Amino acid sequence: MTADTIDLTPFGGVEADAAWRDEVRELARQRDAVLLAHNYQLPEIQDIADHTGDSLALSRIAASSSAATIIFCGVHFMAETAKILSPDKTVLIPDARAGCSLADSITGAQLRAWKAEHPGAVVVSYVNTTAEVKAETDICCTSSNAVDVVASIPADREVLFLPDQFLGAHVKRETGRDNLHIWAGECHVHAGINGPELAARAAANPDADLFIHPECGCATSALYLAGEGTVAPERVKILSTGDMVTQARATKAKSVLVATEIGMIHQLRKAAPDIEFSAVNERASCRYMKMITPAALLRSLRENRDEVHVDPEIAARARGAVQRMIEIGQPGGGE
Ligand code: 13P
Ligand code: SF4
């Protein structure tokens, strides 16, 4: 029987679950592999991983791990980033089709044309970009350190920020820079979490904290709600996924409305089991993240696939920007 024929989503019962876990752990041990999972992965993938966290925390772990193989349970640009940082390691993603609509919103050629319009500008790219775009970039960032990265650039230098317009608007607000140009890209999942939906949920739950990912279309609306008094300003928190976990452990609130991809709720409930977490938009599921099924993870370990390759010349040009990213800002809360 091949892994493709094993139906593990949903699991086939307690015994199949235990057999799957045992085989995954044993194969990972034999291959000297570390299993990394992003906070949006399916609960069973998060639970079997060695480390679950946000993009920044996982990049840092990938860069410092002594394992020979990295199995990246996330989307393709994350595995590619691990390969850029560790070219001598084998990096596998359980399903290479797991892409990202945000990373697809700008190409290397489009960035080169944008740079030509702004000679001398510093290029800051969100980690949700292809290796080719990173190779054209001065500093990469994640949602966890985007403000720190832009704040580290001399105030008189123009900045090109890409590709997420909502994260860009958040960075512009926080740094107060008016020489920050923002690419008009978006993530289809986060852009779909809109202001009216958030306003209705917040009005029905006046004592709840709001945890909002800066990629969301509703981030500006949340600050507006705080400004007009619908929500107490201290209850509105714009956070990366790793910082949501840290904040869940710290808050005194009894309920929290969460505006991001729904996989996040699993990690939040584990961090703070007494708090009631609910999604602002329960349909906000990333189909790419969900391609990493238990069967795909097992197949990856059994058959050594899908291996991630980055052209060495592109990786060499991208490496400096990614290394600057992992050096700037505080860890975003991996475990
Ligand atoms: P973070 O984990 O960095 O907050 O990123 C969220 C995301 O959308 C990754 O695709
Ligand atoms: Fe990309 Fe959005 Fe999915 Fe994150 S949630 S991987 S940004 S498509």
Side-chain angles (χ1 to χ4, degrees), residues 40 75 77-78 99-103 126 128 187-190 215 261 286 288-289:
Y40 297 161
V75 291
F77 74 80
M78 295 180 177
C100 169
S101 62
L102 181 55
Y126 195 29
N128 299 39
C187 152
H188 71 291
V189 179
H190 285 90
E215 279 178 33
E261 207 274 352
C286 174
Y288 302 113
M289 286 281 179

Side-chain angles (χ1 to χ4, degrees), residues 267-325:
Q267 210 50 232
L268 292 173
R269 287 186 181 142
K270 281 175 76 172
D274 296 334
I275 297 177
E276 189 189 325
F277 294 98
S278 49
V280 169
N281 178 344
E282 277 158 13
R283 301 173 308 286
S285 173
C286 174
R287 68 189 166 92
Y288 302 113
M289 286 281 179
K290 273 38 177 186
M291 285 176 179
I292 312 303
T293 60
L297 173 57
L298 188 54
R299 183 186 56 204
S300 175
L301 281 154
R302 282 181 180 169
E303 301 174 14
N304 225 19
R305 54 188 279 212
D306 293 331
E307 186 164 0
V308 176
H309 299 282
V310 180
D311 177 273
E313 193 259 333
I314 289 184
R317 283 172 47 219
R319 194 163 299 121
V322 177
Q323 258 155 0
R324 268 169 235 130
M325 171 186 89

Side-chain angles (χ1 to χ4, degrees), residues 92-242:
L92 303 179
I93 182 167
D95 190 331
R97 294 170 304 170
C100 169
S101 62
L102 181 55
D104 287 344
S105 67
I106 186 165
T107 63
Q110 285 173 314
L111 176 52
R112 283 189 287 277
W114 200 28
K115 282 165 71 169
E117 288 168 21
H118 299 273
V122 179
V123 177
V124 178
S125 293
Y126 195 29
V127 70
N128 299 39
T129 41
T130 61
E132 194 196 351
V133 167
K134 288 185 175 79
E136 298 287 340
T137 294
D138 295 302
I139 317 183
C140 289
C141 69
T142 71
S143 54
S144 166
N145 70 356
V147 173
D148 292 331
V149 166
V150 172
S152 75
I153 298 166
D156 59 342
R157 295 285 300 276
E158 269 194 306
V159 176
L160 301 184
F161 187 92
L162 62 111
D164 189 70
Q165 58 181 300
F166 299 110
L167 179 63
H170 171 66
V171 169
K172 192 164 189 160
R173 212 167 28 231
E174 291 291 309
T175 59
R177 275 183 107 108
D178 49 22
N179 57 357
L180 184 89
H181 306 278
I182 301 170
W183 190 258
E186 63 181 30
C187 152
H188 71 291
V189 179
H190 285 90
I193 305 175
N194 59 49
E197 206 159 16
L198 177 74
R201 298 295 305 275
N205 300 272
D207 297 327
D209 271 2
L210 309 187
F211 286 7
I212 295 168
H213 195 276
E215 279 178 33
C216 286
C218 66
T220 306
S221 310
L223 297 171
Y224 175 76
L225 292 175
E228 61 157 24
T230 306
V231 181
E234 65 276 12
R235 291 200 177 278
V236 178
K237 300 172 204 295
I238 312 271
L239 302 164
S240 75
T241 64

Side-chain angles (χ1 to χ4, degrees), residues 6-18 20:
I6 301 170
D7 178 16
L8 285 165
T9 16
F11 278 2
V14 177
E15 282 173 25
D17 183 356
W20 172 79

